[in-house]
């Protein structure tokens, strides 16, 4: 099979850090063009808009959409209408309803739509899932605390309404937890902390349950300085499981059970090639649905102003 | 076919005003019991909890769940686990995820789950849908403005986090608009107004779009005194359509096109009997999904304190 002729839309930090290296190492793809208002990619044709790019380079077969979620629907619809497969960076859109609309369009056109959740491909996630399936879980705590000034410097879109705030990293935890737990969970209460000068939350505290009343909690905080935490801790009948470093490492009862190199984006692109080949889509909206549920059900609390 | 032996859970205003009269007039049902913390229904066995009721009256085949949405999941799961069909008052739950969980359970058990949207059965809704399908729509305005002090006196749950606030009536408009428009819509921006002393919004202003960039807007307000408005106005190539009084009346270019007596709850119970007979569920989450999207995407604005 000849390589998939792919283009990138929205050239920013995540594209340079992750998408370009992953594509460069994967023989299933040939990167042929990029479209971005500000960024460019060396060695290929660059355009200011997806429309200009699709007009000029008709051989494109697939696009990766990496702009902020508020602008993703338009681009995704344009690409699908033009007959291209679509890879959506996370979160897949600004609303659940617009992604549902894209799903229907991809289905009608016989194209592959991929709602990517990179953290699900973190090295120890499958091992954690297998461990949890082998025992009885007593409770689960998600602790996702990072320094937004370090990880998202000057990313204004992330603080705008629709930018999700602390749920931007938090949705990574949600994408893991919805994958590794044995039963679907749902939010029973939440508190969202909004800085007085921001339209998106800087912290969130969430309680979940499931059909068997499993106690699952999440603490998301963007004000963490010093040690950063991206941990999921499960108390089980077989002992304490810690999935740490955003899914990279697993330990059970203090013993390291899994520690391999990170391959998230390479695996995402392998998955995208696979679903294109199989002629189907992969769109699991449950992580974004939990975010929407948290905003709908959650109590709003105001906290002090926050500047980058 | 012998009548469906049904029970009511959560006996409040909507049950007395709508459910009991609708059931009394429908030979497909026999009302056999009720469970409620405070209310009772004359002439049948009454219980304090759904568990006590299901234990005592094993012949119950279906339950209508009419308590506030924050308490509906537990009751629905209890009923489905006990093998009963379930009618959910609107909104069907406090979160999208919990209703998705109930859908999966109903499916696994071969039971009927009905997410009821009474406004979809308002007299002129089908005529409005047919009119819109016959022409090209230029824009749509939803104006849903009512006096919460008159319609929801002392209903504290409606102001609690998860109580949805002005989206409690607004979701009726959303249930109509998602039924009558030719294509799915999605929210592109929203502003939610929260009284400083409340956890739920008192007003919301929402902009929607669709695959063909149709301009749809909604104004929800709970502070309306004097004339109340539950109107959907569409400018079309065939003139101006006004669906007014919550779907009860339809006029096109000022001429009354449809004006019949209201039969919403009788029609809901006919529909529930129909899906039980057909062995299937009827759960369209799109109205609640739009509410969740509005909370997730919307900008929060604080307005003056509000007391009943």
């Amino acid at each position: 099979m000849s390589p998939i002729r792919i283009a990138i839309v929205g050239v920013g930090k995540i594209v340079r850090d992750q998408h370009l290296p992953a594509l460069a190492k994967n023989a299933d793809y040939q990167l042929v063009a990029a479209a971005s208002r500000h960024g460019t990619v060396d060695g290929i044709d660059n355009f200011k808009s997806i429309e200009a790019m699709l007009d000029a380079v008709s051989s494109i077969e697939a696009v990766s959409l990496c702009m902020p979620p508020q602008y993703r629907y338009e681009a995704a619809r344009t690409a699908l209408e033009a007959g291209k497969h679509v890879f959506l960076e996370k979160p897949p859109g600004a609303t659940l309803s617009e992604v549902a609309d894209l799903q229907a369009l991809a289905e009608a056109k016989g194209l592959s739509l991929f709602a990517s959740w990179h953290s699900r491909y973190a090295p120890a996630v499958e091992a954690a899932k297998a461990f949890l399936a082998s025992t009885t879980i007593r409770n689960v705590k998600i602790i996702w605390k990072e320094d937004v000034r370090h990880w998202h410097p000057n990313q204004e879109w992330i603080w705008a309404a629709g930018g999700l705030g602390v749920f931007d990293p938090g949705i990574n935890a949600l994408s893991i937890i919805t994958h590794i737990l044995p039963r679907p969970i749902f939010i029973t209460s939440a508190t969202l902390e909004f800085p007085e000068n921001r339209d998106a939350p800087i912290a969130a505290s969430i309680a979940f349950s499931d059909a068997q009343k499993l106690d699952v909690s999440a603490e998301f905080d963007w004000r963490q300085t010093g040690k950063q935490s991206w941990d999921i801790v499960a108390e089980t009948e077989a002992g304490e499981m810690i999935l740490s470093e955003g899914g990279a490492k697993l330990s059970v009862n203090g013993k390291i059970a899994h520690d391999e190199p990170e391959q998230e984006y390479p695996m995402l692109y392998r998955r995208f090639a696979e679903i294109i080949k199989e002629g189907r889509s992969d769109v699991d909206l449950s992580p974004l649905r939990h975010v929407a549920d948290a905003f709908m059900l959650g109590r709003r609390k105001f906290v002090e102003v926050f500047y980058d």
Side-chain angles (χ1 to χ4, degrees), chain A:
Chain A
M1 186 166 120
S2 60
I4 299 160
R5 295 172 62 83
I6 196 167
I8 295 265
V9 187
V11 179
K13 181 169 162 53
I14 192 75
V15 166
R16 279 184 279 267
D17 289 354
Q18 299 289 353
H19 291 256
L20 297 180
L23 285 169
K25 283 186 293 191
N26 189 328
D28 284 339
Y29 297 93
Q30 182 189 355
L31 180 62
V32 293
S36 194
R37 280 190 293 179
H38 305 296
T40 57
V41 177
D42 290 346
I44 55 171
D45 287 335
N46 286 274
F47 300 87
K48 286 289 174 198
S49 72
I50 184 172
E51 290 82 2
M53 180 181 77
L54 294 177
D55 280 351
V57 191
S58 62
S59 67
I60 292 167
E61 295 165 274
V63 295
S64 266
L65 302 184
C66 307
M67 70 284 280
Q70 294 97 323
Y71 309 104
R72 214 164 282 160
Y73 172 83
E74 280 290 325
R77 174 160 279 275
T78 300
L80 290 168
E81 296 278 14
K84 316 304 180 190
H85 305 292
V86 172
F87 177 124
L88 298 169
E89 244 298 349
K90 66 98 201 178
T95 63
L96 293 163
S97 305
E98 69 183 40
V99 187
D101 199 46
L102 296 175
Q103 274 183 284
L105 179 60
E107 172 92 22
K109 291 262 183 187
L111 294 166
S112 295
L113 180 68
F114 183 33
S116 74
W117 300 110
H118 65 83
S119 292
R120 280 195 182 164
Y121 294 87
V125 166
E126 290 305 321
K129 184 182 172 88
F131 172 75
L132 293 176
S134 74
T135 181
T136 299
I137 310 168
R138 295 202 182 113
N139 65 65
V140 180
K141 292 188 200 312
I142 303 163
I143 307 109
W144 227 254
K145 297 184 176 182
E146 62 175 47
D147 182 354
V148 65
R149 291 189 177 97
H150 180 80
W151 299 102
H152 296 282
N154 307 313
Q155 287 185 303
E156 278 304 309
W157 66 267
I158 220 166
W159 290 106
L164 299 191
V166 76
F167 285 94
D168 182 78
I171 206 168
N172 295 335
L174 297 174
S175 74
I176 295 174
I177 204 75
T178 49
H179 183 69
I180 66 176
L181 287 181
R183 294 174 300 276
I185 54 172
F186 48 84
I187 294 177
T188 54
S189 70
T191 300
L192 277 56
E193 298 185 26
F194 288 74
E196 284 180 4
N197 61 330
R198 299 291 191 174
D199 287 317
I202 196 165
S205 175
I206 307 170
F208 300 84
S209 187
D210 76 357
Q212 293 183 25
K213 301 194 182 184
L214 180 65
D215 170 12
V216 178
S217 67
E219 295 294 331
F220 299 156
D221 203 320
W222 247 355
R223 296 163 300 198
Q224 182 84 350
T225 53
K227 188 177 180 322
Q228 307 284 286
S229 304
W230 299 281
D231 300 333
I232 295 173
V233 180
E235 302 297 337
T236 78
E237 291 198 350
E240 184 187 63
M241 182 202 88
I242 305 180
L243 180 62
S244 59
E245 299 183 22
K249 288 189 180 168
L250 182 70
S251 76
V252 175
N253 290 322
K255 204 178 142 196
I256 289 174
H258 202 95
D259 187 4
E260 286 180 14
E262 188 268 301
Q263 287 285 321
E264 294 180 14
Y265 278 78
M267 289 181 78
L268 283 182
Y269 276 100
R270 255 177 263 163
R271 175 73 182 149
F272 187 42
E274 184 179 281
I275 64 169
I276 290 173
K277 201 170 161 186
E278 293 171 359
R280 61 195 194 83
S281 288
D282 178 354
V283 181
D284 176 10
L285 288 181
S286 66
L288 187 60
R289 196 175 61 197
H290 287 303
V291 175
D293 281 341
F295 275 86
M296 178 165 65
L297 184 69
R299 184 178 298 267
R300 279 145 198 78
K301 186 176 154 186
F302 286 82
V303 297
E304 61 180 320
V305 295
F306 186 88
Y307 298 100
D308 274 352

